[in-house]
Amino acid sequence: MAVLWRDANASFFHNSQNRFFRSHLPMSRRIATGIDIGTYQVKMVVVEEIVDKNGARQLHIIGTGLAESKGLRHGYIVNKEEVAVSILKAKQQAESIARVPIRSAFLAVGGISLDEARATGSTVISRADQEITALDLDKAAKVAREVAAPGFLNRHVLHSIPLEYRVDGVKTLGDPLGMKGVRLEVDYLYVTCIAQHEDMLTKAVEDANIEIIDRMASPLAGSYVLLDSEQKMKGCVLANIGAETVSIVVYDESIPVSIKVFPMGSSHITDDIALGFRISLEEAERVKVGRLSGQMYPRKKIDDLVTTRLIAMFTLIDKHLKSLGRRGPLPAGIIISGGGAGIGSISDIAKGSLKLPARLAEFRLSSDTKIHDATWAVSYGLALWGLTGDTTAPERNLWAVIKKFFQQFLP
């Protein structure tokens, strides 16, 4: 069965084939680049697959690019020309380090443009012997898409994720292909973004002479690097504290069951400190990160301002988790990443607000790599996705890679 995990209007195998064979020319080197365009920074990571003399395949980061973002607000482009200049600067830096030209890349789509929708599709089993076939799955997927379609006005579907299959009202534990029944139902999660926003992002990247091969929601891209398989299976929420937004992806039984972005970030803490002490934003930023304290800026008042805003952030997350109607807790808790992850006692505040285990994300990379913190997770995850179709050790067979990657989203 071909699982349409990206835009349901596109052909999965066609796009995957393009991704693998158009992005790694010349064929003597297999290289992929991930681009993460944030409100404050543009990050690029260039990854190469290297095969040693024994045939073992390893992934190496061969280049990175970092530039200050200009022309964005809450992840939206307000000045495409400025954004293109920022991308070009990051590109030139990455090319200088990697010593290869960057002509194509995989793009993260984030910001408050991201949203989700849900729908259920159902169909009567078509075969006389009541055996479920790929045709039945496709019919149910089409019905779900049609049900959700009114909510897609001015939006583009980035990912279509099957959450649960039911045969004659009974949940199946795995792929229902080959099972027998009268009626098949499928619950779908659609991850969408504003079409105009995605178009402007694409044009800005293309203006920097980079072809976009494929796109992924940034919370998902980061999750492939920052979460392990056990955390995803047990159930967890990965929260990225950005400058102007908090983005989350919720996993349960290895499936991403929700992706959400909230219009609040670490810059709001800076604003609170500036207002609380009546100081400039620049000075408030230094106070926030601990560079200034003392008699003029009492530690207790700083902590109170930071704690109040963080509680507000985690209250939004808690409210969303409750709205999902989940039947149980998330044993693996909340994992916190992003530029705002190191602010104050954020893990303790998250633990108290959500009543869940909480910890900072770990970025497991070798000591000789060119990136060292979780703020690079999105661009790195994109490069891995583009290069191998997975975020674990690459496999030798292309179609085995594709099948393995998309099987992880089957209930």
Side-chain angles (χ1 to χ4, degrees):
M1 178 186 67
V3 180
L4 297 180
W5 183 78
R6 62 186 312 280
D7 184 352
N9 288 328
S11 167
F12 162 62
F13 286 105
H14 171 74
N15 282 285
S16 297
Q17 189 176 43
N18 284 347
R19 178 194 313 158
F20 276 79
F21 291 110
R22 289 167 58 205
S23 62
H24 309 302
L25 298 175
M27 290 303 289
S28 58
R29 299 186 70 179
R30 300 192 66 245
I31 297 171
T33 300
I35 304 177
D36 177 19
I37 303 173
T39 301
Y40 282 2
Q41 293 179 326
V42 175
K43 292 186 174 74
M44 288 192 192
V45 174
V46 185
V47 177
E48 180 175 15
E49 182 189 72
I50 297 176
V51 181
D52 63 23
K53 60 182 181 181
N54 297 319
R57 306 171 77 177
Q58 295 181 334
L59 301 179
H60 291 278
I61 297 170
I62 61 172
T64 58
L66 176 66
E68 179 185 0
S69 290
K70 292 185 178 180
L72 291 110
R73 176 70 175 170
H74 291 301
Y76 285 117
I77 292 180
V78 295
N79 188 314
K80 183 170 68 70
E81 289 71 25
E82 288 186 347
V83 176
V85 170
S86 298
I87 296 168
L88 186 59
K89 288 180 179 179
K91 173 191 175 184
Q92 290 170 343
Q93 186 182 117
E95 287 179 330
S96 175
I97 296 172
R99 298 186 178 182
V100 294
I102 296 173
R103 299 190 181 96
S104 60
F106 300 83
L107 178 65
V109 179
I112 56 176
S113 165
L114 283 181
D115 204 354
E116 63 181 18
R118 299 167 193 278
T120 298
S122 62
T123 186
V124 175
I125 307 305
S126 56
R127 283 180 49 149
D129 63 1
Q130 299 183 327
E131 181 177 324
I132 298 172
T133 66
L135 178 62
D136 298 314
L137 295 172
D138 290 342
K139 284 182 179 179
K142 184 178 180 180
V143 172
R145 179 75 178 227
E146 290 172 351
V147 170
F152 297 158
L153 184 65
N154 297 320
R155 304 192 71 85
H156 174 232
V157 178
L158 289 169
H159 311 296
S160 302
I161 305 173
L163 299 177
E164 181 176 295
Y165 295 103
R166 292 181 297 278
V167 177
D168 295 340
V170 179
K171 177 182 176 180
T172 68
L173 300 177
D175 190 341
L177 202 63
M179 295 180 65
K180 292 190 175 183
V182 175
R183 190 171 191 82
L184 171 69
E185 296 174 284
V186 188
D187 296 335
Y188 266 91
L189 170 69
Y190 300 99
V191 182
T192 70
C193 67
I194 295 176
Q196 183 186 35
H197 169 64
E198 184 189 5
D199 290 343
M200 291 188 71
L201 271 179
T202 299
K203 289 175 182 177
V205 175
E206 290 175 344
D207 285 348
N209 296 316
I210 302 174
E211 177 191 7
I212 298 302
I213 299 172
D214 214 337
R215 301 155 186 82
M216 177 179 278
S218 55
L220 279 174
S223 73
Y224 298 142
V225 178
L226 299 175
L227 299 179
D228 59 38
S229 57
E230 184 177 9
Q231 289 169 331
K232 294 176 184 178
M233 175 58 73
K234 295 289 187 182
C236 67
V237 52
L238 174 66
N240 182 286
I241 313 296
E244 295 183 335
T245 60
V246 175
S247 59
I248 67 169
V249 54
V250 183
Y251 275 89
D252 192 17
E253 296 182 355
S254 298
I255 303 170
V257 297
S258 181
I259 293 173
K260 195 72 175 176
V261 180
F262 307 100
M264 187 184 297
S266 62
S267 66
H268 292 84
I269 298 175
T270 304
D271 296 344
D272 294 341
I273 293 173
L275 291 171
F277 289 105
R278 299 180 183 178
I279 57 178
S280 69
L281 290 172
E282 293 76 14
E283 194 167 357
E285 181 67 23
R286 292 195 294 271
V287 171
K288 181 181 75 174
V289 299
R291 294 177 186 171
L292 294 175
S293 62
Q295 189 173 359
M296 288 182 62
Y297 309 111
R299 187 75 252 171
K300 185 179 185 307
K301 185 173 181 179
I302 296 171
D303 290 343
D304 287 345
L305 290 168
V306 171
T307 299
T308 299
R309 178 60 70 171
L310 290 176
I311 289 175
M313 290 182 187
F314 291 121
T315 298
L316 289 174
I317 295 174
D318 186 51
K319 183 177 179 181
H320 179 69
L321 292 177
K322 290 176 179 176
S323 75
L324 297 178
R326 300 185 64 263
R327 292 182 290 275
L330 299 167
I334 179 170
I335 296 91
I336 307 166
S337 68
I343 298 173
S345 303
I346 192 166
S347 295
D348 292 335
I349 296 169
K351 188 184 302 182
S353 299
L354 299 172
K355 304 298 186 292
L356 290 173
R359 67 173 182 80
L360 300 183
E362 296 179 19
F363 205 30
R364 301 179 183 90
L365 289 173
S366 60
S367 59
D368 62 344
T369 189
K370 296 175 175 60
I371 56 180
H372 299 286
D373 63 72
T375 62
W376 292 85
V378 171
S379 50
Y380 182 48
L382 281 167
L384 296 183
W385 177 55
L387 188 61
T388 69
D390 200 352
T391 53
T392 56
E395 297 182 25
R396 295 182 181 278
N397 183 281
L398 170 64
W399 302 115
V401 171
I402 294 172
K403 183 178 179 182
K404 178 181 176 182
F405 181 64
F406 282 85
Q407 275 181 338
Q408 66 180 305
F409 297 105
L410 288 174

